[in-house]
Structure formats: structure tokens, C-alpha cells
Amino acid sequence: MKTLVTCEHASGAVPPGIDLGLSPEVLETHVSTDRGARALSEALAAHLGAPLLRGEWSRLVVDLNRREDNPDVILAETWGHRVRGNEGLSEAEREARIATYHRPHRHAARDHATAMAAAEGCLHLSMHSFAPSVDPARRTYDAGVLYDTERPFETSIATALVDGLRARGWETRHNEPYAGVPEGLTSWLRGQLAPERYVGIEIEASQAWVDDPGRSARIGADIAQLV
């Protein structure tokens, strides 16, 4: 199989012409971006020689990991923060935001995955990070591997990743801190590609360590070896 790497929440930046009404400090937090996920995705793609698609803007501009018809694709409130720049958007403004910042990434991922699936099969690794502070009593592990348990081939590959990472010293969980379905870029692509030709796996790395360049590079290398 060929590997595709994506990172939907790689940036906390806001494009010119949009004012979300949030401070730079907030835009650097998990509210806006998956800290460390970009560096991890870059390390992984470099090890594999795989194409990498990165989100260039904050998830609060538009969330690339949600379907465009999901009401939460553009949030007016999140984690106690009002996103004033997203309040009261007209249908035309919402459509313009999605057309400019959402569809290009999703369609590029679909094009890459479809071509790979038709040729040798596609293993899609969507890289994210999670904040342990959201649930410190439970989010004590290093990484989660998210997948669809109803797809046997995908389950077998995800299980191999979990087992392999555990063997390399990373405390790794199945489908934590989120379920592998129903939302997400991988779920969207599963609905369009055959299960024996497309495997969509999200990897959630803990922000407790993901900002450490050494550990980020090491897990990137470990995942690449397993792939």
C-alpha cells in the first residue's frame, strides 16, 4: 500500500481578512490548533517519503476534520471562548469560507487517496494531538490509534500499530481519546473508498510530550518502521 499523511489541525494561523476576535495567545492553544502535530506529521512523511497535506489555518477558521454540512465546522463558541468573527455568518459568508479554506484540503486528500487506492491501496495516516488537561485522570497515555472496528482489514493494521508502538515503549490506546467514527476526514473517505483498498487511521499524540523535538522525531521514526 502507498501511504498518505495528512494533518488537519497543523496551524493556529488566521488568514488575512478574517478577524476571529481571539488573542494570539488563545490561537496558540489546543482551542485553535493541535500543538506539535505538524512537526510529527512532517517527520513521519519524511521517513516514509509520503505525500503530506497540512491544514494552513486555525480549526476555528474552518475545521478540516468535520464535514462541511456539520454545524460545528465553523464554531461561534468553543471551550468557553466566544469566536466573535464566526458569529452571525450569512449563508453566503459560510459558503465562501468553506469553498476557500475547507474543500481544497478535503478534495486534495480524496484525490490522493483515490489514486492510491486504485493502484496499490491507500494507508491514510491523519496526525493529531490531544490535550491531557481536558481529562487529566484518564489521558495519561502517549498516543491513541483511531479506526473503524467494523472494517476488518483496517482493524488489523491499527492493531499492529498499537502493538508495535507498545513494544517500542509508547503507551498506546485503541480508539482513545475519541472513537474512530463517525466524524473526521478518514470517516468521510471511508464512505467513498472500498475497505480492502483504503485504510484510514487517525493517530492522536499526547501534548504532554509532543512538543519535545526528540520524542516527536522518535515516534515518527517508530511509526514509519511499523508502516
Side-chain angles (χ1 to χ4, degrees):
M1 302 185 86
K2 294 289 188 180
T3 305
L4 169 66
V5 181
T6 69
C7 186
E8 283 60 61
H9 302 146
S11 174
V14 179
I18 294 178
D19 181 5
L20 296 178
L22 296 170
S23 69
E25 290 75 20
V26 171
L27 292 172
E28 292 175 358
T29 70
H30 188 68
V31 168
S32 174
T33 182
D34 280 1
R35 284 192 4 254
R38 177 170 185 156
L40 177 55
S41 66
E42 289 173 344
L44 178 59
H47 280 295
L48 291 170
L52 170 61
L53 300 176
R54 294 181 301 245
E56 297 299 326
W57 309 109
S58 166
R59 76 172 97 227
L60 300 179
V61 174
V62 66
D63 193 333
L64 299 176
N65 215 35
R66 299 184 188 276
R67 291 173 172 83
E68 64 178 65
D69 59 357
N70 186 327
D72 291 337
V73 72
I74 300 175
L75 289 169
E77 189 277 334
T78 181
W79 297 103
H81 297 277
R82 286 181 61 190
V83 188
R84 291 178 172 82
N86 291 345
E87 293 177 346
L89 292 179
S90 68
E91 284 302 315
E93 290 170 328
R94 178 186 173 88
E95 168 60 24
R97 185 89 66 89
I98 289 171
T100 303
Y101 303 112
H102 187 273
R103 286 188 195 128
H105 180 87
R106 304 272 287 203
H107 288 187
R110 182 179 63 189
D111 290 347
H112 276 280
T114 299
M116 290 177 175
E120 301 176 55
C122 176
L123 171 58
H124 175 197
L125 299 176
S126 176
M127 308 305 292
H128 297 260
S129 69
F130 67 87
S133 59
V134 172
D135 190 354
R138 296 182 182 180
R139 295 187 175 190
T140 58
Y141 46 92
D142 294 313
V145 174
L146 282 52
Y147 59 96
D148 185 349
T149 59
E150 297 299 315
R151 293 166 77 101
F153 183 41
E154 184 168 292
T155 297
S156 68
I157 292 180
T159 300
L161 282 172
V162 171
D163 291 346
L165 287 171
R166 286 174 175 172
R168 287 161 171 78
W170 301 97
E171 186 178 350
T172 310
R173 305 282 180 86
H174 292 267
N175 282 316
E176 290 189 44
Y178 313 106
V181 293
E183 190 59 292
L185 177 58
T186 53
S187 294
W188 183 68
L189 290 173
R190 288 188 198 112
Q192 303 173 63
L193 299 169
E196 68 274 11
R197 307 299 298 173
Y198 171 79
V199 171
I201 292 175
E202 285 191 30
I203 295 180
E204 290 271 354
S206 174
Q207 291 176 12
W209 59 264
V210 79
D211 288 328
D212 180 336
R215 297 192 73 186
S216 184
R218 182 163 68 85
I219 197 171
D222 287 346
I223 294 169
Q225 290 170 3
L226 292 166
V227 169

mmCIF file with all atom_site columns, all heavy atoms in Angstrom, residues 12-38:
data_model
loop_
_atom_site.group_PDB
_atom_site.id
_atom_site.type_symbol
_atom_site.label_atom_id
_atom_site.label_alt_id
_atom_site.label_comp_id
_atom_site.label_asym_id
_atom_site.label_entity_id
_atom_site.label_seq_id
_atom_site.pdbx_PDB_ins_code
_atom_site.Cartn_x
_atom_site.Cartn_y
_atom_site.Cartn_z
_atom_site.occupancy
_atom_site.B_iso_or_equiv
_atom_site.pdbx_formal_charge
_atom_site.auth_seq_id
_atom_site.auth_comp_id
_atom_site.auth_asym_id
_atom_site.auth_atom_id
_atom_site.pdbx_PDB_model_num
ATOM 1   N N   . GLY A 1 12 ? -2.367  27.333 13.824 1.00 0.00 ? 12 GLY A N   1
ATOM 2   C CA  . GLY A 1 12 ? -3.291  28.223 14.530 1.00 0.00 ? 12 GLY A CA  1
ATOM 3   C C   . GLY A 1 12 ? -3.399  29.579 13.867 1.00 0.00 ? 12 GLY A C   1
ATOM 4   O O   . GLY A 1 12 ? -3.957  30.513 14.439 1.00 0.00 ? 12 GLY A O   1
ATOM 5   N N   . ALA A 1 13 ? -2.883  29.696 12.648 1.00 0.00 ? 13 ALA A N   1
ATOM 6   C CA  . ALA A 1 13 ? -2.883  30.981 11.938 1.00 0.00 ? 13 ALA A CA  1
ATOM 7   C C   . ALA A 1 13 ? -4.278  31.327 11.420 1.00 0.00 ? 13 ALA A C   1
ATOM 8   O O   . ALA A 1 13 ? -5.127  30.453 11.224 1.00 0.00 ? 13 ALA A O   1
ATOM 9   C CB  . ALA A 1 13 ? -1.889  30.938 10.779 1.00 0.00 ? 13 ALA A CB  1
ATOM 10  N N   . VAL A 1 14 ? -4.475  32.596 11.191 1.00 0.00 ? 14 VAL A N   1
ATOM 11  C CA  . VAL A 1 14 ? -5.743  33.108 10.656 1.00 0.00 ? 14 VAL A CA  1
ATOM 12  C C   . VAL A 1 14 ? -5.423  33.872 9.377  1.00 0.00 ? 14 VAL A C   1
ATOM 13  O O   . VAL A 1 14 ? -4.519  34.711 9.364  1.00 0.00 ? 14 VAL A O   1
ATOM 14  C CB  . VAL A 1 14 ? -6.444  34.026 11.671 1.00 0.00 ? 14 VAL A CB  1
ATOM 15  C CG1 . VAL A 1 14 ? -7.744  34.582 11.091 1.00 0.00 ? 14 VAL A CG1 1
ATOM 16  C CG2 . VAL A 1 14 ? -6.725  33.265 12.964 1.00 0.00 ? 14 VAL A CG2 1
ATOM 17  N N   . PRO A 1 15 ? -6.139  33.611 8.289  1.00 0.00 ? 15 PRO A N   1
ATOM 18  C CA  . PRO A 1 15 ? -5.811  34.265 7.021  1.00 0.00 ? 15 PRO A CA  1
ATOM 19  C C   . PRO A 1 15 ? -6.126  35.755 7.043  1.00 0.00 ? 15 PRO A C   1
ATOM 20  O O   . PRO A 1 15 ? -6.995  36.201 7.801  1.00 0.00 ? 15 PRO A O   1
ATOM 21  C CB  . PRO A 1 15 ? -6.683  33.534 5.997  1.00 0.00 ? 15 PRO A CB  1
ATOM 22  C CG  . PRO A 1 15 ? -7.775  32.923 6.794  1.00 0.00 ? 15 PRO A CG  1
ATOM 23  C CD  . PRO A 1 15 ? -7.227  32.631 8.147  1.00 0.00 ? 15 PRO A CD  1
ATOM 24  N N   . PRO A 1 16 ? -5.439  36.537 6.221  1.00 0.00 ? 16 PRO A N   1
ATOM 25  C CA  . PRO A 1 16 ? -5.752  37.965 6.106  1.00 0.00 ? 16 PRO A CA  1
ATOM 26  C C   . PRO A 1 16 ? -7.219  38.165 5.729  1.00 0.00 ? 16 PRO A C   1
ATOM 27  O O   . PRO A 1 16 ? -7.783  37.407 4.950  1.00 0.00 ? 16 PRO A O   1
ATOM 28  C CB  . PRO A 1 16 ? -4.827  38.437 4.977  1.00 0.00 ? 16 PRO A CB  1
ATOM 29  C CG  . PRO A 1 16 ? -3.723  37.432 4.928  1.00 0.00 ? 16 PRO A CG  1
ATOM 30  C CD  . PRO A 1 16 ? -4.336  36.124 5.320  1.00 0.00 ? 16 PRO A CD  1
ATOM 31  N N   . GLY A 1 17 ? -7.812  39.186 6.329  1.00 0.00 ? 17 GLY A N   1
ATOM 32  C CA  . GLY A 1 17 ? -9.203  39.487 6.030  1.00 0.00 ? 17 GLY A CA  1
ATOM 33  C C   . GLY A 1 17 ? -10.198 38.844 6.965  1.00 0.00 ? 17 GLY A C   1
ATOM 34  O O   . GLY A 1 17 ? -11.395 39.132 6.887  1.00 0.00 ? 17 GLY A O   1
ATOM 35  N N   . ILE A 1 18 ? -9.719  37.950 7.857  1.00 0.00 ? 18 ILE A N   1
ATOM 36  C CA  . ILE A 1 18 ? -10.596 37.324 8.849  1.00 0.00 ? 18 ILE A CA  1
ATOM 37  C C   . ILE A 1 18 ? -10.097 37.691 10.239 1.00 0.00 ? 18 ILE A C   1
ATOM 38  O O   . ILE A 1 18 ? -8.918  37.524 10.552 1.00 0.00 ? 18 ILE A O   1
ATOM 39  C CB  . ILE A 1 18 ? -10.633 35.791 8.689  1.00 0.00 ? 18 ILE A CB  1
ATOM 40  C CG1 . ILE A 1 18 ? -11.281 35.412 7.356  1.00 0.00 ? 18 ILE A CG1 1
ATOM 41  C CG2 . ILE A 1 18 ? -11.382 35.150 9.854  1.00 0.00 ? 18 ILE A CG2 1
ATOM 42  C CD1 . ILE A 1 18 ? -11.320 33.912 7.105  1.00 0.00 ? 18 ILE A CD1 1
ATOM 43  N N   . ASP A 1 19 ? -10.982 38.206 11.060 1.00 0.00 ? 19 ASP A N   1
ATOM 44  C CA  . ASP A 1 19 ? -10.673 38.520 12.459 1.00 0.00 ? 19 ASP A CA  1
ATOM 45  C C   . ASP A 1 19 ? -11.598 37.693 13.328 1.00 0.00 ? 19 ASP A C   1
ATOM 46  O O   . ASP A 1 19 ? -12.804 37.947 13.381 1.00 0.00 ? 19 ASP A O   1
ATOM 47  C CB  . ASP A 1 19 ? -10.861 40.008 12.734 1.00 0.00 ? 19 ASP A CB  1
ATOM 48  C CG  . ASP A 1 19 ? -10.534 40.383 14.181 1.00 0.00 ? 19 ASP A CG  1
ATOM 49  O OD1 . ASP A 1 19 ? -10.075 39.490 14.928 1.00 0.00 ? 19 ASP A OD1 1
ATOM 50  O OD2 . ASP A 1 19 ? -10.756 41.550 14.550 1.00 0.00 ? 19 ASP A OD2 1
ATOM 51  N N   . LEU A 1 20 ? -11.054 36.686 13.979 1.00 0.00 ? 20 LEU A N   1
ATOM 52  C CA  . LEU A 1 20 ? -11.869 35.815 14.827 1.00 0.00 ? 20 LEU A CA  1
ATOM 53  C C   . LEU A 1 20 ? -12.193 36.451 16.170 1.00 0.00 ? 20 LEU A C   1
ATOM 54  O O   . LEU A 1 20 ? -13.048 35.948 16.905 1.00 0.00 ? 20 LEU A O   1
ATOM 55  C CB  . LEU A 1 20 ? -11.158 34.485 15.048 1.00 0.00 ? 20 LEU A CB  1
ATOM 56  C CG  . LEU A 1 20 ? -10.923 33.623 13.802 1.00 0.00 ? 20 LEU A CG  1
ATOM 57  C CD1 . LEU A 1 20 ? -10.160 32.350 14.183 1.00 0.00 ? 20 LEU A CD1 1
ATOM 58  C CD2 . LEU A 1 20 ? -12.236 33.263 13.131 1.00 0.00 ? 20 LEU A CD2 1
ATOM 59  N N   . GLY A 1 21 ? -11.515 37.539 16.517 1.00 0.00 ? 21 GLY A N   1
ATOM 60  C CA  . GLY A 1 21 ? -11.755 38.180 17.798 1.00 0.00 ? 21 GLY A CA  1
ATOM 61  C C   . GLY A 1 21 ? -11.085 37.469 18.952 1.00 0.00 ? 21 GLY A C   1
ATOM 62  O O   . GLY A 1 21 ? -11.523 37.608 20.101 1.00 0.00 ? 21 GLY A O   1
ATOM 63  N N   . LEU A 1 22 ? -10.023 36.709 18.683 1.00 0.00 ? 22 LEU A N   1
ATOM 64  C CA  . LEU A 1 22 ? -9.302  35.975 19.717 1.00 0.00 ? 22 LEU A CA  1
ATOM 65  C C   . LEU A 1 22 ? -7.865  36.467 19.787 1.00 0.00 ? 22 LEU A C   1
ATOM 66  O O   . LEU A 1 22 ? -7.285  36.873 18.776 1.00 0.00 ? 22 LEU A O   1
ATOM 67  C CB  . LEU A 1 22 ? -9.319  34.476 19.414 1.00 0.00 ? 22 LEU A CB  1
ATOM 68  C CG  . LEU A 1 22 ? -10.696 33.813 19.418 1.00 0.00 ? 22 LEU A CG  1
ATOM 69  C CD1 . LEU A 1 22 ? -10.590 32.395 18.866 1.00 0.00 ? 22 LEU A CD1 1
ATOM 70  C CD2 . LEU A 1 22 ? -11.286 33.789 20.823 1.00 0.00 ? 22 LEU A CD2 1
ATOM 71  N N   . SER A 1 23 ? -7.281  36.385 20.963 1.00 0.00 ? 23 SER A N   1
ATOM 72  C CA  . SER A 1 23 ? -5.917  36.849 21.153 1.00 0.00 ? 23 SER A CA  1
ATOM 73  C C   . SER A 1 23 ? -4.931  35.870 20.532 1.00 0.00 ? 23 SER A C   1
ATOM 74  O O   . SER A 1 23 ? -5.236  34.683 20.355 1.00 0.00 ? 23 SER A O   1
ATOM 75  C CB  . SER A 1 23 ? -5.614  36.988 22.648 1.00 0.00 ? 23 SER A CB  1
ATOM 76  O OG  . SER A 1 23 ? -5.561  35.702 23.252 1.00 0.00 ? 23 SER A OG  1
ATOM 77  N N   . PRO A 1 24 ? -3.713  36.345 20.222 1.00 0.00 ? 24 PRO A N   1
ATOM 78  C CA  . PRO A 1 24 ? -2.675  35.432 19.723 1.00 0.00 ? 24 PRO A CA  1
ATOM 79  C C   . PRO A 1 24 ? -2.391  34.291 20.698 1.00 0.00 ? 24 PRO A C   1
ATOM 80  O O   . PRO A 1 24 ? -2.066  33.179 20.266 1.00 0.00 ? 24 PRO A O   1
ATOM 81  C CB  . PRO A 1 24 ? -1.460  36.340 19.551 1.00 0.00 ? 24 PRO A CB  1
ATOM 82  C CG  . PRO A 1 24 ? -2.029  37.711 19.346 1.00 0.00 ? 24 PRO A CG  1
ATOM 83  C CD  . PRO A 1 24 ? -3.256  37.746 20.200 1.00 0.00 ? 24 PRO A CD  1
ATOM 84  N N   . GLU A 1 25 ? -2.517  34.563 21.995 1.00 0.00 ? 25 GLU A N   1
ATOM 85  C CA  . GLU A 1 25 ? -2.249  33.525 22.993 1.00 0.00 ? 25 GLU A CA  1
ATOM 86  C C   . GLU A 1 25 ? -3.266  32.387 22.872 1.00 0.00 ? 25 GLU A C   1
ATOM 87  O O   . GLU A 1 25 ? -2.900  31.203 22.954 1.00 0.00 ? 25 GLU A O   1
ATOM 88  C CB  . GLU A 1 25 ? -2.293  34.112 24.396 1.00 0.00 ? 25 GLU A CB  1
ATOM 89  C CG  . GLU A 1 25 ? -1.143  35.051 24.730 1.00 0.00 ? 25 GLU A CG  1
ATOM 90  C CD  . GLU A 1 25 ? -1.264  36.421 24.063 1.00 0.00 ? 25 GLU A CD  1
ATOM 91  O OE1 . GLU A 1 25 ? -2.394  36.791 23.657 1.00 0.00 ? 25 GLU A OE1 1
ATOM 92  O OE2 . GLU A 1 25 ? -0.233  37.117 23.951 1.00 0.00 ? 25 GLU A OE2 1
ATOM 93  N N   . VAL A 1 26 ? -4.529  32.721 22.683 1.00 0.00 ? 26 VAL A N   1
ATOM 94  C CA  . VAL A 1 26 ? -5.560  31.687 22.525 1.00 0.00 ? 26 VAL A CA  1
ATOM 95  C C   . VAL A 1 26 ? -5.346  30.904 21.236 1.00 0.00 ? 26 VAL A C   1
ATOM 96  O O   . VAL A 1 26 ? -5.509  29.685 21.194 1.00 0.00 ? 26 VAL A O   1
ATOM 97  C CB  . VAL A 1 26 ? -6.969  32.318 22.557 1.00 0.00 ? 26 VAL A CB  1
ATOM 98  C CG1 . VAL A 1 26 ? -8.037  31.289 22.173 1.00 0.00 ? 26 VAL A CG1 1
ATOM 99  C CG2 . VAL A 1 26 ? -7.266  32.886 23.936 1.00 0.00 ? 26 VAL A CG2 1
ATOM 100 N N   . LEU A 1 27 ? -4.952  31.605 20.186 1.00 0.00 ? 27 LEU A N   1
ATOM 101 C CA  . LEU A 1 27 ? -4.762  30.955 18.889 1.00 0.00 ? 27 LEU A CA  1
ATOM 102 C C   . LEU A 1 27 ? -3.584  29.987 18.881 1.00 0.00 ? 27 LEU A C   1
ATOM 103 O O   . LEU A 1 27 ? -3.458  29.180 17.964 1.00 0.00 ? 27 LEU A O   1
ATOM 104 C CB  . LEU A 1 27 ? -4.581  32.009 17.795 1.00 0.00 ? 27 LEU A CB  1
ATOM 105 C CG  . LEU A 1 27 ? -5.819  32.848 17.482 1.00 0.00 ? 27 LEU A CG  1
ATOM 106 C CD1 . LEU A 1 27 ? -5.475  33.980 16.527 1.00 0.00 ? 27 LEU A CD1 1
ATOM 107 C CD2 . LEU A 1 27 ? -6.935  31.972 16.906 1.00 0.00 ? 27 LEU A CD2 1
ATOM 108 N N   . GLU A 1 28 ? -2.733  30.057 19.906 1.00 0.00 ? 28 GLU A N   1
ATOM 109 C CA  . GLU A 1 28 ? -1.616  29.125 20.006 1.00 0.00 ? 28 GLU A CA  1
ATOM 110 C C   . GLU A 1 28 ? -1.955  27.886 20.832 1.00 0.00 ? 28 GLU A C   1
ATOM 111 O O   . GLU A 1 28 ? -1.137  26.976 20.940 1.00 0.00 ? 28 GLU A O   1
ATOM 112 C CB  . GLU A 1 28 ? -0.409  29.828 20.627 1.00 0.00 ? 28 GLU A CB  1
ATOM 113 C CG  . GLU A 1 28 ? 0.204   30.907 19.731 1.00 0.00 ? 28 GLU A CG  1
ATOM 114 C CD  . GLU A 1 28 ? 1.330   31.662 20.418 1.00 0.00 ? 28 GLU A CD  1
ATOM 115 O OE1 . GLU A 1 28 ? 1.598   31.363 21.605 1.00 0.00 ? 28 GLU A OE1 1
ATOM 116 O OE2 . GLU A 1 28 ? 1.920   32.541 19.781 1.00 0.00 ? 28 GLU A OE2 1
ATOM 117 N N   . THR A 1 29 ? -3.158  27.837 21.406 1.00 0.00 ? 29 THR A N   1
ATOM 118 C CA  . THR A 1 29 ? -3.548  26.723 22.262 1.00 0.00 ? 29 THR A CA  1
ATOM 119 C C   . THR A 1 29 ? -4.313  25.667 21.472 1.00 0.00 ? 29 THR A C   1
ATOM 120 O O   . THR A 1 29 ? -4.637  25.837 20.294 1.00 0.00 ? 29 THR A O   1
ATOM 121 C CB  . THR A 1 29 ? -4.430  27.204 23.427 1.00 0.00 ? 29 THR A CB  1
ATOM 122 O OG1 . THR A 1 29 ? -5.716  27.596 22.905 1.00 0.00 ? 29 THR A OG1 1
ATOM 123 C CG2 . THR A 1 29 ? -3.789  28.378 24.150 1.00 0.00 ? 29 THR A CG2 1
ATOM 124 N N   . HIS A 1 30 ? -4.672  24.568 22.183 1.00 0.00 ? 30 HIS A N   1
ATOM 125 C CA  . HIS A 1 30 ? -5.425  23.472 21.570 1.00 0.00 ? 30 HIS A CA  1
ATOM 126 C C   . HIS A 1 30 ? -6.811  23.931 21.103 1.00 0.00 ? 30 HIS A C   1
ATOM 127 O O   . HIS A 1 30 ? -7.429  23.259 20.276 1.00 0.00 ? 30 HIS A O   1
ATOM 128 C CB  . HIS A 1 30 ? -5.569  22.322 22.561 1.00 0.00 ? 30 HIS A CB  1
ATOM 129 C CG  . HIS A 1 30 ? -6.152  21.084 21.962 1.00 0.00 ? 30 HIS A CG  1
ATOM 130 N ND1 . HIS A 1 30 ? -5.489  20.321 21.033 1.00 0.00 ? 30 HIS A ND1 1
ATOM 131 C CD2 . HIS A 1 30 ? -7.369  20.492 22.134 1.00 0.00 ? 30 HIS A CD2 1
ATOM 132 C CE1 . HIS A 1 30 ? -6.251  19.299 20.674 1.00 0.00 ? 30 HIS A CE1 1
ATOM 133 N NE2 . HIS A 1 30 ? -7.389  19.380 21.323 1.00 0.00 ? 30 HIS A NE2 1
ATOM 134 N N   . VAL A 1 31 ? -7.289  25.037 21.621 1.00 0.00 ? 31 VAL A N   1
ATOM 135 C CA  . VAL A 1 31 ? -8.546  25.596 21.141 1.00 0.00 ? 31 VAL A CA  1
ATOM 136 C C   . VAL A 1 31 ? -8.486  25.825 19.637 1.00 0.00 ? 31 VAL A C   1
ATOM 137 O O   . VAL A 1 31 ? -9.482  25.670 18.919 1.00 0.00 ? 31 VAL A O   1
ATOM 138 C CB  . VAL A 1 31 ? -8.854  26.920 21.880 1.00 0.00 ? 31 VAL A CB  1
ATOM 139 C CG1 . VAL A 1 31 ? -9.992  27.682 21.211 1.00 0.00 ? 31 VAL A CG1 1
ATOM 140 C CG2 . VAL A 1 31 ? -9.190  26.640 23.339 1.00 0.00 ? 31 VAL A CG2 1
ATOM 141 N N   . SER A 1 32 ? -7.305  26.185 19.148 1.00 0.00 ? 32 SER A N   1
ATOM 142 C CA  . SER A 1 32 ? -7.132  26.612 17.767 1.00 0.00 ? 32 SER A CA  1
ATOM 143 C C   . SER A 1 32 ? -6.355  25.636 16.891 1.00 0.00 ? 32 SER A C   1
ATOM 144 O O   . SER A 1 32 ? -6.582  25.563 15.682 1.00 0.00 ? 32 SER A O   1
ATOM 145 C CB  . SER A 1 32 ? -6.409  27.971 17.758 1.00 0.00 ? 32 SER A CB  1
ATOM 146 O OG  . SER A 1 32 ? -6.076  28.395 16.472 1.00 0.00 ? 32 SER A OG  1
ATOM 147 N N   . THR A 1 33 ? -5.436  24.882 17.511 1.00 0.00 ? 33 THR A N   1
ATOM 148 C CA  . THR A 1 33 ? -4.523  24.040 16.725 1.00 0.00 ? 33 THR A CA  1
ATOM 149 C C   . THR A 1 33 ? -4.133  22.811 17.537 1.00 0.00 ? 33 THR A C   1
ATOM 150 O O   . THR A 1 33 ? -4.300  22.789 18.763 1.00 0.00 ? 33 THR A O   1
ATOM 151 C CB  . THR A 1 33 ? -3.261  24.842 16.345 1.00 0.00 ? 33 THR A CB  1
ATOM 152 O OG1 . THR A 1 33 ? -2.404  24.039 15.544 1.00 0.00 ? 33 THR A OG1 1
ATOM 153 C CG2 . THR A 1 33 ? -2.489  25.291 17.583 1.00 0.00 ? 33 THR A CG2 1
ATOM 154 N N   . ASP A 1 34 ? -3.639  21.778 16.869 1.00 0.00 ? 34 ASP A N   1
ATOM 155 C CA  . ASP A 1 34 ? -3.104  20.601 17.557 1.00 0.00 ? 34 ASP A CA  1
ATOM 156 C C   . ASP A 1 34 ? -1.600  20.802 17.717 1.00 0.00 ? 34 ASP A C   1
ATOM 157 O O   . ASP A 1 34 ? -0.823  20.557 16.782 1.00 0.00 ? 34 ASP A O   1
ATOM 158 C CB  . ASP A 1 34 ? -3.374  19.331 16.745 1.00 0.00 ? 34 ASP A CB  1
ATOM 159 C CG  . ASP A 1 34 ? -4.783  18.806 16.916 1.00 0.00 ? 34 ASP A CG  1
ATOM 160 O OD1 . ASP A 1 34 ? -5.559  19.430 17.655 1.00 0.00 ? 34 ASP A OD1 1
ATOM 161 O OD2 . ASP A 1 34 ? -5.102  17.775 16.301 1.00 0.00 ? 34 ASP A OD2 1
ATOM 162 N N   . ARG A 1 35 ? -1.201  21.256 18.898 1.00 0.00 ? 35 ARG A N   1
ATOM 163 C CA  . ARG A 1 35 ? 0.208   21.534 19.129 1.00 0.00 ? 35 ARG A CA  1
ATOM 164 C C   . ARG A 1 35 ? 1.071   20.320 18.835 1.00 0.00 ? 35 ARG A C   1
ATOM 165 O O   . ARG A 1 35 ? 0.770   19.212 19.260 1.00 0.00 ? 35 ARG A O   1
ATOM 166 C CB  . ARG A 1 35 ? 0.434   21.975 20.576 1.00 0.00 ? 35 ARG A CB  1
ATOM 167 C CG  . ARG A 1 35 ? 0.015   23.379 20.871 1.00 0.00 ? 35 ARG A CG  1
ATOM 168 C CD  . ARG A 1 35 ? 0.522   23.867 22.232 1.00 0.00 ? 35 ARG A CD  1
ATOM 169 N NE  . ARG A 1 35 ? 1.378   22.961 22.952 1.00 0.00 ? 35 ARG A NE  1
ATOM 170 C CZ  . ARG A 1 35 ? 0.992   22.258 24.021 1.00 0.00 ? 35 ARG A CZ  1
ATOM 171 N NH1 . ARG A 1 35 ? -0.228  22.362 24.474 1.00 0.00 ? 35 ARG A NH1 1
ATOM 172 N NH2 . ARG A 1 35 ? 1.855   21.473 24.634 1.00 0.00 ? 35 ARG A NH2 1
ATOM 173 N N   . GLY A 1 36 ? 2.143   20.559 18.096 1.00 0.00 ? 36 GLY A N   1
ATOM 174 C CA  . GLY A 1 36 ? 3.104   19.508 17.829 1.00 0.00 ? 36 GLY A CA  1
ATOM 175 C C   . GLY A 1 36 ? 2.738   18.565 16.698 1.00 0.00 ? 36 GLY A C   1
ATOM 176 O O   . GLY A 1 36 ? 3.595   17.815 16.226 1.00 0.00 ? 36 GLY A O   1
ATOM 177 N N   . ALA A 1 37 ? 1.495   18.597 16.251 1.00 0.00 ? 37 ALA A N   1
ATOM 178 C CA  . ALA A 1 37 ? 1.066   17.639 15.222 1.00 0.00 ? 37 ALA A CA  1
ATOM 179 C C   . ALA A 1 37 ? 1.746   17.903 13.889 1.00 0.00 ? 37 ALA A C   1
ATOM 180 O O   . ALA A 1 37 ? 2.053   16.972 13.142 1.00 0.00 ? 37 ALA A O   1
ATOM 181 C CB  . ALA A 1 37 ? -0.451  17.689 15.065 1.00 0.00 ? 37 ALA A CB  1
ATOM 182 N N   . ARG A 1 38 ? 1.999   19.169 13.582 1.00 0.00 ? 38 ARG A N   1
ATOM 183 C CA  . ARG A 1 38 ? 2.640   19.476 12.305 1.00 0.00 ? 38 ARG A CA  1
ATOM 184 C C   . ARG A 1 38 ? 4.049   18.878 12.243 1.00 0.00 ? 38 ARG A C   1
ATOM 185 O O   . ARG A 1 38 ? 4.409   18.225 11.257 1.00 0.00 ? 38 ARG A O   1
ATOM 186 C CB  . ARG A 1 38 ? 2.707   20.986 12.090 1.00 0.00 ? 38 ARG A CB  1
ATOM 187 C CG  . ARG A 1 38 ? 3.422   21.376 10.803 1.00 0.00 ? 38 ARG A CG  1
ATOM 188 C CD  . ARG A 1 38 ? 3.260   22.844 10.477 1.00 0.00 ? 38 ARG A CD  1
ATOM 189 N NE  . ARG A 1 38 ? 3.857   23.163 9.196  1.00 0.00 ? 38 ARG A NE  1
ATOM 190 C CZ  . ARG A 1 38 ? 3.498   24.195 8.438  1.00 0.00 ? 38 ARG A CZ  1
ATOM 191 N NH1 . ARG A 1 38 ? 2.538   25.001 8.840  1.00 0.00 ? 38 ARG A NH1 1
ATOM 192 N NH2 . ARG A 1 38 ? 4.091   24.402 7.282  1.00 0.00 ? 38 ARG A NH2 1
#
